[in-house]
Amino acid sequence: GIQVEQSPPDLILQEGANSTLRCNFSDSVNNLQWFHQNPWGQLINLFYIPSGTKQNGRLSATTVATERYSLLYISSSQTTDSGVYFCAPGEYGNKLVFGAGTILRVKS
Amino acid sequence: GAGVSQSPSNKVTEKGKDVELRCDPISGHTALYWYRQSLGQGLEFLIYFQGNSAPDKSGLPSDRFSAERTGGSVSTLTIQRTQQEDSAVYLCASSSRAFGGVRYNEQFFGPGTRLTVL
């Protein structure tokens, strides 16, 4: 099955800073999603991005499927951005394989 | 409802008891998934239902785990003879909303059921 690696595993930012989270995956995929897991455990959909680039406010994501990686950009970070960010490519049948996540802490 | 709902939100049980966890997917979604999130194991796939097709059970960790989906909507995950290692948050997701003739595979997750086995 697909192997997923996320980096960095932990990240501490000062409020207002920018960051880039990376996701490498080992096989071709037909789905890739980025999630933010908030402190209450809810998985919040950020992007559905099997390929290309999307932007939503301060967040944007790029997936280069041919090179098997995806990037999540967070600009002007806020304390509410804290939590765990998961990358999850989809295997055949579209079941998602989750990376270990990046734990983000934004300090005020 | 507007999103995926799960019940109960918390379940505490004794080792050896059976438990049932319920998932109500987003209306009209044809695909339904169960995942488990446990300390040290991350988020792992358990089982997948798509329409009337046979479910993909490849992620179920043992034969104590089973799931069914009635009428193509509500799903129940059953764990028999629970063990302490079954303690985890069980998450349900749904997807495959057809819009304008195009199928979208984006998965939307419920809030989860936190299972604690004493």
Side-chain angles (χ1 to χ4, degrees):
Chain A
I2 294 176
Q3 304 299 311
V4 184
E5 291 186 1
Q6 289 188 242
S7 59
D10 299 275
L11 185 59
I12 300 174
L13 296 176
Q14 197 65 38
E15 195 169 28
N18 303 328
S19 64
T20 300
L21 280 56
R22 186 177 179 100
C23 172
N24 293 332
F25 46 94
S26 60
D27 291 301
S28 299
V29 298
N30 58 10
N31 182 13
L32 190 143
Q33 292 184 237
W34 281 96
F35 297 92
H36 174 212
Q37 189 166 42
N38 64 21
W40 297 271
Q42 177 72 50
L43 281 170
I44 299 167
N45 289 39
L46 297 178
F47 293 101
Y48 168 69
I49 188 165
S51 63
T53 297
K54 291 185 178 179
Q55 180 155 8
N56 184 4
R58 295 181 297 103
L59 303 182
S60 64
T62 295
T63 297
V64 184
T66 53
E67 298 186 21
R68 299 179 182 166
Y69 73 88
S70 184
L71 302 173
L72 176 70
Y73 305 94
I74 304 174
S75 65
S76 304
S77 58
Q78 302 176 357
T79 56
T80 51
D81 295 333
S82 297
V84 185
Y85 289 80
F86 289 105
C87 165
E91 287 189 329
Y92 173 76
N94 295 309
K95 59 187 179 185
L96 297 175
V97 179
F98 283 79
T102 293
I103 301 172
L104 175 64
R105 185 155 57 112
V106 181
K107 300 168 68 174
S108 59
Chain B
V4 178
S5 61
Q6 294 185 243
S7 61
S9 55
N10 283 284
K11 177 71 176 180
V12 180
T13 191
E14 294 179 348
K15 178 182 174 181
K17 301 283 189 181
D18 297 352
V19 295
E20 286 189 350
L21 312 180
R22 177 187 168 104
C23 172
D24 282 271
I26 293 172
S27 178
H29 278 194
T30 58
L32 186 147
Y33 307 79
W34 284 97
Y35 296 83
R36 178 171 72 172
Q37 185 173 25
S38 49
L39 288 176
Q41 299 294 325
L43 267 148
E44 56 180 338
F45 164 79
L46 297 177
I47 188 169
Y48 160 51
F49 296 90
Q50 174 62 279
N52 295 321
S53 303
D56 175 355
K57 305 179 182 179
S58 61
L60 294 179
S62 78
D63 58 8
R64 295 186 296 104
F65 287 72
S66 63
E68 63 178 18
R69 189 178 184 193
T70 54
S73 181
V74 171
S75 177
T76 302
L77 177 69
T78 301
I79 309 173
Q80 296 178 308
R81 305 181 302 282
T82 53
Q83 303 294 312
Q84 288 182 332
E85 60 263 28
D86 299 335
S87 296
V89 177
Y90 289 81
L91 294 158
C92 175
S94 69
S95 76
S96 295
R97 170 172 50 98
F99 183 74
V102 177
R103 172 174 288 177
Y104 293 86
N105 297 318
E106 185 175 7
Q107 294 185 27
F108 295 87
F109 282 75
T113 293
R114 180 174 297 278
L115 175 66
T116 303
V117 182
L118 301 176

